[in-house]
Amino acid sequence: MERKKKAAFSPETDGAEVPLKQEKKAKPPVRGSDSAEFVPPDGGWGWVVCATSLLANGTAFSIINTFGIIYTFMVESPEYGANDPTISFKTSWVGSVNTGLTFLMCVFSSIASDRIGIRPVAVFGAVMGTVGLVSSAFVPKLELLYLTYGVLLGIGAACIYSPSLVILGHYFKKHMGLVNGIVAFGSSMYTIILSILLPKLVTSLHVKYSFLVLGGLYFIIIFCVLTWKPIYRRQTDLPTIALSTESIVEHVTDCCSVTKQFFDVQVFRNRGYLFWFISLGVALFGYFIPFVHLVKHSKDNFPDSDGFILITCMQITSGVGRLVCGKVADLKCMNRVYMQQTAFLVLGVVTACIPFSAYFEGLIAICLIMGICDGIFVCLLGPIAFDLVGPNQASQAIGFLLGIFSIPFTVGPPVAGILYDTMGTYKIAFILAGMPPIIGSIIMCFIPRTRQAYPGATETHHFASMSMVDVYNSVIIQGNFDWDEYLQETDAVAAPESCFKQATTPPDNDFEINQKIEARDPRNLTSICVATVIGKIGPRLRLRLDGSDSKNDFWRLVDSSDLHPIGYCEKIGELLMPPLGFCKNPSSWPSFLQKTLNGAAVAPDHCFKKEPPLPKSNEFKVGMKLEAVDRKNPQLICPATVGSINKDQIHVTFDGWRGAFDYWTRYDSRDIFPVGWCAKSGHSLQPPGQKAGPIQVKGKVKEPSLSVPIPSPGSQSGTPRSSVTSNPSSPNLHPETPISPKEAESPVVQVTEPDTSSTSTSTPTSSNKACVYINKSCRTGSLLDSKKVSDMPDQIGPSTVNKVLRELTQTCIRCGVQDTKVYHLIPKGEGRVVISVNQGGRVLTKKLPAISGVSELWSFIEKLTSELHCCENFLTSNPLHGHCPKCNRRSSSSSPQSVRSSNPAEWSIDDVIQHICDTDPALATHAEVFKKHEIDGGAFLLLSSEMMMKYMGLKLGPVLKLCNIVEKLKGRK
């Protein structure tokens, strides 16, 4: 079942099963879940974690950054072949393999941290690094250092780097920028210290014994990473692995799906990212050469000077550059791509100038400039990724970059080394090393101008600390969606931006969580109340009226006219009113208001944006594509189509989903957006579903269902009005009652939360009793076996809601053509009702969503019948007598086959599918193929075996059965 459909049932998105009688241990709260939102402590033990992360990160990267110092001693050491004419080339490979593997393995270590655990991966990395350095002290040949110093230490550094950043997201949120700055500066600080101490160490102890000292530093990291205790985990309900064929297949499939999520090449369809990816891959061929060879070049040309200080100078300005550049990049007038492009251009020029420096002081000046360029490059990696591809694909964008970095970092220094071995000078090597950054900066000219979508001050480290868990659990699972490809596949056009009441450039969201504002009550538009910002996605805010509860949260754009700063009502001479359903005594409102606003964080005036102008007229046309808010799940925005138009109203139909989500709205609604709005604003876009058949555009509103009778205006059933009129296909209207767009677009349906102000006067017994009638003559779809359906009871109940819910779902599972398939279609929740199914000798169980009343039960049933492809009147609150207006069948005791036309050529697509399922239930799995190709009765009689195999993709066995059915129908005709 698709994720959007699951969200409509319950906040749970994981539909995995657990074996019967297996007790599930209490799990830590999962960030993003509705039931228990994770809040980092922002202090306490987190500061210890910050200190140990600084130590681990600084130690790992200071050893990588100072390899140029060790390189100088190695090429002059007789033990490593100082007389070898290719010694520079061979020695360069030691550091290059180490650096390349570090960046390449960062991608895999990030995935391993999420799937295995932060501490196990970090401990493994520290042990690998220690083993690699210690063993480097005992290898007799230079080539063996490729394995010990290059491979083992490179893997160890990668397994330390990613966890050292991910763990910070467990303990910090408010101070995330500060702690990431501290950890980021740690690598520069440790490099500075090590560049001063390492030459003295190598001079005193020799290169081999220096490896032992560095191995001791790595050994200390083991104790540091033991402090990295995760305080929440990614929730998973995977069952315990059993040694059976089914479990092995299940877990291999899960592994493959995870791999596809992290290695999705769809990101390369973004033109800006593609050029950025190529430019960085080219520019970095010369980037790491000075880190390895500059000290040796200084010693050759300025033997009386201390060349080791050059690395120190480079790291000082690199650290300063990261801190300053992050703040400058946050300015709205700055273009981050241009900043990085300039840094590469300058870096290339100064690198090419290295051999022309006649004085050692000139080399110092060049190193200071190179350090600033290095800081700008590192600082802007994460922010530019968010600017170019948005938060949905940023994780994969950075992952591919880290992978491509490993190639130039590995190849560049050895090429410079072989040039030195051949010519005896670094002049040509440094000139050529300056060319790739200049070429890379030229390629960056082809990157389209982008709008800032992520703060630069947090650097790429903030991205790394949140992407491996947050992006995996929230963004990546939504998948990727390409509008250009989708419009081409569907042969559709996007609605022009002039049709929408939206700003051309999405406004910036400057609000902060927990800030107070004044907002119009969506359930009482004449009242303005105090509201609190409790969430935000892109330019949208999730608001909660003070004195209300979480059931009445609603979403607004930052440029909505319903939002005002504190003091607005006083300024215009109005009073702040309590919200509908105020949780306290109304007489206590003044004191409650005073207490609420006393010392509260108030949103400043600059956060509120001017509302965009109204479109001149309704310029929408049927079939145009747009992006629209799903009003049943208002945190989601999905691709949609204009289904029909009626004066100022348009019918929004969601692509790939059945009518339960569609709704009528005015053409100037703030809930609809032009194609590409989510990508521009940084809001996630939900991909289209797969449940519905081909999108059909109709001239009138869909005929409503009969499932639940609508209560009268004076009814006190306690049913929220928004749940009754949320969409024109809601099962709440009489079949003969015409519905207009005006009726479908009532002000109260702009928010789907229930009205908590209404008080139920029904007795507990009547409000909790339910009865479901099973109209077995209606179309049962391809997932239910019609013969088994005929044995179902005529009704379930009257009984309690939970009892009816359990009996109904278990009955549907038993009547399924494949009972496990029906079981998987039913969503998982946290209610009290538990259902089960037998699969391969083991019993699977799961809880259903919590259903608290009859109205929620019928909402669940409506979605269930939609998922099962049944007639909307298959399950109703009253028995169906006579003709069913939905599937054109009559209630009778005869078989469903008897209500179809006697002439097969007159059958509809559903009639053909039903006949196939009735004749041979094993063919029900191919029903979607007939729906996709629109095979009605006339087309079915014309089918041949060649057509079914060549054009419909069916295998020989089903084709032979279908041909037999066709021949029998022709004979009957």
Side-chain angles (χ1 to χ4, degrees):
M1 181 183 293
E2 284 78 358
R3 295 180 185 93
K4 180 174 184 289
K5 211 60 158 174
K6 293 166 110 175
F9 278 105
S10 84
E12 290 289 327
T13 57
D14 191 350
E17 305 79 28
V18 294
L20 189 64
K21 298 183 181 178
Q22 177 185 351
E23 293 190 13
K24 296 172 67 177
K25 296 181 180 179
K27 298 179 180 177
V30 181
R31 184 178 301 185
S33 66
D34 293 342
S35 57
E37 185 174 0
F38 173 77
V39 179
D42 270 309
W45 185 255
W47 294 114
V48 176
V49 172
C50 177
T52 54
S53 296
L54 182 149
L55 179 64
N57 199 305
T59 301
F61 274 86
S62 63
I63 293 176
I64 294 174
N65 293 337
T66 56
F67 175 75
I69 297 174
I70 298 177
Y71 167 85
T72 305
F73 287 96
M74 289 176 66
V75 295
E76 298 175 355
S77 174
E79 296 184 17
Y80 295 114
N83 298 325
D84 189 337
T86 61
I87 183 64
S88 297
F89 171 71
K90 291 180 178 179
T91 309
S92 298
W93 275 109
V94 177
S96 296
V97 171
N98 172 258
T99 307
L101 264 180
T102 298
F103 282 92
L104 179 62
M105 295 304 296
C106 273
V107 184
F108 300 98
S109 68
S110 300
I111 300 173
S113 297
D114 183 52
R115 304 295 294 182
I116 301 174
I118 292 175
R119 273 197 294 195
V121 173
V123 170
F124 172 78
V127 172
M128 287 284 287
T130 303
V131 172
L133 286 168
V134 172
S135 59
S136 297
F138 299 99
V139 296
K141 293 183 179 181
L142 176 65
E143 288 78 4
L144 291 177
L145 287 176
Y146 300 160
L147 173 63
T148 58
Y149 191 93
V151 176
L152 296 182
L153 182 60
I155 294 175
C159 292
I160 291 173
Y161 175 60
S162 291
S164 72
L165 301 176
V166 174
I167 190 62
L168 298 178
H170 289 245
Y171 288 90
F172 294 97
K173 183 176 182 180
K174 180 180 178 182
H175 302 302
M176 179 60 89
L178 173 63
V179 296
N180 277 300
I182 293 173
V183 175
F185 189 73
S187 61
S188 298
M189 181 181 67
Y190 270 70
T191 302
I192 294 171
I193 297 173
L194 196 59
S195 64
I196 297 173
L197 298 179
L198 191 57
K200 300 178 181 178
L201 181 66
V202 177
T203 303
S204 303
L205 301 179
H206 197 270
V207 176
K208 288 191 173 183
Y209 296 107
S210 299
F211 285 143
L212 290 176
V213 176
L214 296 178
L217 293 178
Y218 245 83
F219 183 74
I220 297 175
I221 296 179
I222 297 176
F223 300 98
C224 294
V225 301
L226 292 177
T227 66
W228 300 351
K229 180 182 179 181
I231 55 178
Y232 78 98
R233 298 177 182 175
R234 184 177 64 86
Q235 185 169 1
T236 175
D237 290 331
L238 289 178
T240 304
I241 297 179
L243 294 179
S244 64
T245 304
E246 293 82 358
S247 63
I248 293 174
V249 171
E250 180 180 350
H251 287 84
V252 169
T253 303
D254 177 69
C255 182
C256 293
S257 65
V258 171
T259 303
K260 289 180 180 179
Q261 289 169 352
F262 279 95
F263 296 97
D264 191 344
V265 296
Q266 294 291 329
V267 69
F268 289 103
R269 296 189 178 186
N270 184 306
R271 178 190 168 201
Y273 175 76
L274 179 62
F275 281 109
W276 188 48
F277 179 86
I278 295 173
S279 65
L280 293 187
V282 171
L284 294 180
F285 272 100
Y287 177 84
F288 201 61
I289 290 176
F291 285 87
V292 176
H293 296 283
L294 188 57
V295 176
K296 174 64 175 172
H297 169 77
S298 171
K299 197 169 185 178
D300 289 347
N301 292 273
F302 307 101
D304 298 331
S305 301
D306 184 7
F308 304 117
I309 199 174
L310 298 177
I311 301 296
T312 304
C313 295
M314 199 181 302
Q315 290 303 313
I316 290 175
T317 52
S318 176
V320 174
R322 296 182 192 195
L323 297 176
V324 175
C325 172
K327 298 297 181 183
V328 174
D330 272 345
L331 301 176
K332 294 184 179 180
C333 60
M334 301 302 296
N335 185 298
R336 295 164 183 165
V337 174
Y338 293 167
M339 290 177 63
Q340 195 176 72
Q341 183 182 26
T342 304
F344 275 127
L345 180 62
V346 174
L347 179 66
V349 172
V350 297
T351 302
C353 291
I354 289 176
F356 300 103
S357 176
Y359 301 97
F360 184 74
E361 290 76 8
L363 282 183
I364 293 178
I366 288 175
C367 287
L368 293 174
I369 297 173
M370 291 176 65
I372 294 175
C373 296
D374 172 73
I376 295 174
F377 161 66
V378 173
C379 174
L380 295 180
L381 275 179
I384 291 179
F386 272 77
D387 289 348
L388 293 177
V389 303
N392 281 20
Q393 297 177 311
S395 175
Q396 297 182 24
I398 288 289
F400 283 119
L401 282 179
L402 293 177
I404 198 64
F405 287 177
S406 63
I407 299 176
F409 282 173
T410 303
V411 175
V415 171
I418 199 170
L419 289 174
Y420 178 80
D421 291 333
T422 304
M423 301 180 178
T425 177
Y426 280 110
K427 184 174 182 179
I428 299 299
F430 281 123
I431 291 175
L432 293 179
M435 295 300 103
I438 295 175
I439 296 174
S441 66
I442 295 174
I443 297 175
M444 293 178 77
C445 294
F446 296 96
I447 300 176
R449 184 177 178 85
T450 58
R451 174 179 174 271
Q452 293 186 9
Y454 193 73
T458 53
E459 305 185 12
T460 186
H461 297 83
H462 188 191
F463 160 80
S465 64
M466 55 83 69
S467 65
M468 306 313 169
V469 176
D470 291 336
V471 174
Y472 180 88
N473 287 325
S474 59
V475 177
I476 288 183
I477 60 173
Q478 296 177 8
N480 301 318
F481 178 70
D482 189 320
W483 262 117
D484 294 335
E485 179 184 0
Y486 184 64
L487 291 174
Q488 186 176 359
E489 287 179 355
T490 56
D491 194 22
V493 295
E497 292 188 358
S498 59
C499 296
F500 301 87
K501 189 180 179 182
Q502 303 292 351
T504 305
T505 302
D508 295 327
N509 192 341
D510 299 324
F511 287 91
E512 298 293 339
I513 304 299
N514 294 326
Q515 284 184 340
K516 301 290 184 182
I517 65 172
E518 294 182 9
R520 200 169 294 278
D521 188 341
R523 295 168 299 143
N524 183 12
L525 299 179
T526 60
S527 298
I528 297 180
C529 313
V530 177
T532 303
V533 178
I534 61 170
K536 61 179 185 177
I537 307 178
R540 301 178 71 216
L541 298 173
R542 183 180 178 180
L543 302 172
R544 180 173 299 166
L545 300 180
D546 289 19
S548 183
D549 54 26
S550 60
K551 295 180 180 179
N552 296 294
D553 294 348
F554 60 100
W555 292 79
R556 288 292 182 269
L557 289 163
V558 296
D559 58 358
S560 171
S561 59
D562 291 340
L563 310 183
H564 309 283
I566 295 295
Y568 171 78
C569 280
E570 183 180 0
K571 184 178 179 181
I572 63 174
E574 292 188 10
L575 295 176
L576 285 170
M577 304 298 292
L580 278 178
F582 181 51
C583 59
K584 299 180 180 295
N585 192 314
S587 62
S588 64
W589 169 246
S591 59
F592 175 84
L593 180 62
Q594 183 179 5
K595 183 178 179 181
T596 299
L597 295 178
N598 186 24
V602 176
D605 291 347
H606 70 81
C607 295
F608 300 86
K609 315 298 181 183
K610 184 178 179 181
E611 190 171 50
L614 189 73
K616 295 181 180 179
S617 60
N618 187 353
E619 300 175 0
F620 286 101
K621 294 181 180 179
V622 173
M624 283 183 170
K625 297 291 184 182
L626 47 86
E627 298 174 2
V629 172
D630 176 1
R631 289 182 174 172
K632 290 193 174 183
N633 306 279
Q635 75 277 12
L636 302 179
I637 295 181
C638 316
T641 305
V642 178
S644 56
I645 300 174
N646 190 332
K647 298 181 181 179
D648 290 342
Q649 304 283 328
I650 65 171
H651 191 219
V652 177
T653 60
F654 289 100
D655 292 4
W657 304 106
R658 294 188 175 273
F661 296 94
D662 304 345
Y663 57 83
W664 283 90
T665 188
R666 281 184 55 86
Y667 72 94
D668 57 354
S669 169
R670 302 306 309 278
D671 285 346
I672 55 176
F673 311 91
V675 165
W677 183 88
C678 285
K680 289 182 181 179
S681 64
H683 197 293
S684 58
L685 180 67
Q686 189 79 358
Q690 303 295 331
K691 283 294 176 189
I695 300 170
Q696 297 179 356
V697 178
K698 299 184 180 180
K700 6 174 142 171
V701 184
K702 297 177 183 178
E703 189 177 11
S705 170
L706 311 173
S707 300
V708 181
I710 186 170
S712 63
S715 170
Q716 298 181 4
S717 62
T719 303
R721 188 178 177 188
S722 62
S723 68
V724 174
T725 60
S726 60
N727 59 74
S729 61
S730 174
N732 301 296
L733 303 174
H734 192 274
E736 305 301 328
T737 305
I739 180 171
S740 69
K742 290 290 184 183
E743 294 170 325
E745 180 66 16
S746 175
V748 298
V749 305
Q750 294 180 357
V751 179
T752 61
E753 292 76 16
D755 183 356
T756 57
S757 64
S758 61
T759 304
S760 175
T761 59
S762 304
T763 63
T765 303
S766 62
S767 63
N768 291 325
K769 293 284 186 179
C771 182
V772 177
Y773 289 89
I774 302 173
N775 301 304
K776 291 178 278 187
S777 61
C778 287
R779 175 172 50 84
T780 56
S782 59
L783 297 176
L784 297 182
D785 188 335
S786 58
K787 296 180 180 178
K788 295 180 181 178
V789 169
S790 62
D791 295 330
M792 292 175 68
D794 293 333
Q795 68 183 72
I796 297 177
S799 185
T800 61
V801 169
N802 285 339
K803 187 173 181 181
V804 170
L805 176 64
R806 185 185 185 285
E807 291 185 13
L808 177 63
T809 50
Q810 284 292 169
T811 302
C812 290
I813 291 171
R814 286 194 299 270
C815 293
V817 176
Q818 298 178 8
D819 52 359
T820 54
K821 189 170 184 179
V822 176
Y823 172 81
H824 288 301
L825 284 177
I826 300 173
K828 181 190 172 189
E830 291 299 328
R832 299 172 59 186
V833 177
V834 178
I835 60 174
S836 62
V837 69
N838 194 310
Q839 181 183 35
R842 63 170 180 164
V843 179
L844 304 178
T845 65
K846 64 180 172 184
K847 293 182 179 180
L848 296 184
I851 304 294
S852 58
V854 176
S855 60
E856 292 185 17
L857 173 65
W858 284 108
S859 178
F860 178 93
I861 292 173
E862 176 193 0
K863 299 177 182 71
L864 178 62
T865 54
S866 176
E867 291 290 342
L868 295 175
H869 304 290
C870 297
C871 172
E872 294 178 22
N873 292 331
F874 177 57
L875 303 172
T876 57
S877 60
N878 294 301
L880 184 66
H881 300 291
H883 177 75
C884 174
K886 291 297 179 182
C887 59
N888 295 320
R889 297 186 178 185
R890 293 188 175 276
S891 176
S892 68
S893 58
S894 60
S895 79
Q897 227 172 356
S898 63
V899 299
R900 288 192 289 269
S901 170
S902 59
N903 184 3
E906 298 176 357
W907 288 356
S908 65
I909 298 173
D910 288 337
D911 288 336
V912 171
I913 294 173
Q914 190 65 47
H915 177 75
I916 294 173
C917 296
D918 291 342
T919 306
D920 190 344
L923 295 173
T925 55
H926 305 293
E928 289 298 327
V929 179
F930 283 81
K931 223 175 241 187
K932 176 183 176 182
H933 291 276
E934 300 182 5
I935 306 296
D936 59 9
F940 187 57
L941 294 174
L942 297 174
L943 284 179
S944 65
S945 59
E946 182 182 1
M947 291 179 184
M948 287 187 276
M949 295 178 68
K950 184 175 181 180
Y951 299 105
M952 299 176 68
L954 298 179
K955 294 185 178 181
L956 180 60
V959 167
L960 292 176
K961 294 180 181 180
L962 289 167
C963 287
N964 185 43
I965 295 175
V966 172
E967 291 301 320
K968 287 182 179 180
L969 288 176
K970 288 180 178 179
R972 193 173 76 181
K973 180 181 176 183

